[in-house]
Amino acid sequence: MKQAPGPAPETPSLTVRAMTGLKEIGAAAWDACAFSPETLAAGDETHNPFVSHAFLSALEESGCVSRKTGWLPLHIAVERDGTLLGVAPCYLKSHSQGEYVFDHGWADAYERVGGSYYPKLQVSVPFTPVTGPRFLIAPGADPDEATAGLVAGLRALRGETKASSIHVTFMREAEWDRAGAAGFLQRTDQQFHWENAGYASFENFLEALASRKRKNIRKERRDALAPGITVEHLTGADITEAHWDAFYAFYMDTGARKWGRPYLNRRFFSLLSERMADRVLLIMARRDGAYIAGAINLIGDTALYGRNWGCIEDHPFLHFEICYYQAIDFAIARGLKRVEAGAQGEHKLARGYKPVLMHSAHDIADPAFRRAVADYLQRERAHVAEAVDVLDTLTPFRRTDEVHAPGACDGAADPARPAPESPST
């Protein structure tokens, strides 16, 4: 267990530790922070599976995150008089892959003027563009005090590791506000989420769409399954190692294409199934008795999170059926509030997914470079907000003034921003 330099003057009674892996803190202590009332107060999700000890430790124990892969765990814990106040999932990064909040342009610019952008500190869930808590507060702790301690610890760790910067990505808006008040630079981006307006069925959802869009989705679903394809939903004990073998082949096939190198290895999926199978939903497509495509989702208490997709046969609209429409079916059946279908993808808009803002915060040590990034982010936030407003007018939902029969019921132009980086849904 590594002791970070002394805490900032404003928190003299606090002790900050940097842990080189989740093995240095028990699952009970970590999860008590991840799912405490204090952590959950600012959001609607009562169980975000990605910040659980089970998920994060599976990434570590499988070797998907390690010094070798450029994701060295250095999790932060803050204590007062031996009592844990909060933790944060933190990694020392030697590159910017697997993050989905693109700062490659920042790295290039800083290195062109003689700076060293790497290493940097990343507070996030690796390979996971899903909003969730990043400052995990212990039960009964004061959120402001714990957050201040975590921020002080991150800044001390940045100095000790000679990192250029701290990046807290896919954080909740309340944490984003708190980070901004602590001096972090604020960034926004967008995703597309499906929102459940109390629909009784998929057809009930379609009734909320304009006629042409409704017909188009029905046609896509029909055509996707036309070649005799059937779809299975698998969760819990129904998921076998054979299912993971099939899905991993799909995942690797997608990674072998233009989307980027796969980040997850085969062992990770076995560990995931072993530790949290009830939180996993595999949507698998079968033709002539053999699996040909699939998508992995994680199940929260209020949301379904689509993550990775792959196939070994190409069929029109099958991707939309497996990743989007089947996810909506499942969310309606479970009474979930929304489906978050991964990063990127304005094509989701026509399929009932709406634009929403994503939030990240960045703390840069070099004052001159910080000023340059701050100027860029000010313009980018305005552009993103405008884009979300425009996209919101292009959703397939009927206008309120449209006569109908009653029924039931990417960021500012950044020249260095790369293409989508992984087989996300």
Side-chain angles (χ1 to χ4, degrees), residues 155-219:
R155 285 173 169 159
L157 185 62
R158 181 182 62 192
E160 181 179 323
T161 59
K162 296 181 171 54
S164 71
S165 47
I166 304 164
H167 305 267
V168 187
T169 52
F170 295 99
M171 62 198 311
R172 296 176 307 174
E173 189 171 2
E175 290 179 316
W176 187 68
D177 290 337
R178 212 174 266 142
F184 279 61
L185 303 179
Q186 294 175 301
R187 190 176 195 184
T188 56
D189 205 339
Q190 69 182 31
Q191 281 187 355
F192 297 89
H193 298 172
W194 179 83
E195 298 174 1
N196 188 352
Y199 302 118
S201 65
F202 193 93
E203 278 299 312
N204 189 198
F205 154 62
L206 290 182
E207 290 173 8
L209 307 185
S211 175
R212 182 171 60 85
K213 299 295 185 180
R214 185 164 60 242
K215 291 176 181 177
N216 187 63
I217 289 176
R218 284 180 179 140
K219 182 180 184 301

Side-chain angles (χ1 to χ4, degrees), residues 190-193 324 341-351 353 391 410 420 425:
Q190 69 182 31
Q191 281 187 355
F192 297 89
H193 298 172
Y324 308 145
Q344 312 297 322
E346 291 186 7
H347 58 277
K348 297 168 186 172
L349 196 67
R351 289 156 185 95
Y353 289 72
L391 289 169
D410 191 15
T425 56

Side-chain angles (χ1 to χ4, degrees), residues 233-245:
H233 290 188
L234 301 164
T235 191
D238 291 336
I239 304 175
T240 68
E241 288 298 298
H243 292 121
W244 286 122
D245 287 340

Side-chain angles (χ1 to χ4, degrees), residues 89-268:
C90 182
Y91 304 86
L92 188 68
K93 293 292 304 297
S94 59
H95 53 71
S96 290
Q97 301 300 316
E99 297 169 7
Y100 299 90
V101 175
F102 301 118
D103 63 349
H104 300 74
W106 302 359
D108 291 344
Y110 194 47
E111 290 170 4
R112 280 199 300 271
V113 297
S116 296
Y117 193 73
Y118 304 107
K120 64 177 186 175
L121 292 175
Q122 187 77 22
V123 180
S124 67
V125 177
F127 326 123
T128 306
V130 172
T131 292
R134 296 296 178 258
F135 301 133
L136 313 182
I137 312 302
D142 177 76
D144 291 332
E145 180 186 26
T147 299
L150 290 169
V151 168
L154 286 166
R155 285 173 169 159
L157 185 62
R158 181 182 62 192
E160 181 179 323
T161 59
K162 296 181 171 54
S164 71
S165 47
I166 304 164
H167 305 267
V168 187
T169 52
F170 295 99
M171 62 198 311
R172 296 176 307 174
E173 189 171 2
E175 290 179 316
W176 187 68
D177 290 337
R178 212 174 266 142
F184 279 61
L185 303 179
Q186 294 175 301
R187 190 176 195 184
T188 56
D189 205 339
Q190 69 182 31
Q191 281 187 355
F192 297 89
H193 298 172
W194 179 83
E195 298 174 1
N196 188 352
Y199 302 118
S201 65
F202 193 93
E203 278 299 312
N204 189 198
F205 154 62
L206 290 182
E207 290 173 8
L209 307 185
S211 175
R212 182 171 60 85
K213 299 295 185 180
R214 185 164 60 242
K215 291 176 181 177
N216 187 63
I217 289 176
R218 284 180 179 140
K219 182 180 184 301
E220 287 185 352
R221 299 202 75 179
R222 194 166 55 243
D223 290 352
L225 304 181
I229 294 172
T230 58
V231 177
E232 300 174 4
H233 290 188
L234 301 164
T235 191
D238 291 336
I239 304 175
T240 68
E241 288 298 298
H243 292 121
W244 286 122
D245 287 340
F247 175 78
Y248 192 65
F250 308 150
Y251 173 71
M252 293 299 290
D253 181 80
T254 301
R257 303 184 192 214
K258 62 183 179 180
W259 301 107
R261 69 179 182 86
Y263 298 121
L264 303 173
N265 59 31
R266 175 63 181 82
R267 184 166 180 244
F268 166 76

Side-chain angles (χ1 to χ4, degrees), residues 12 41 302:
T302 60

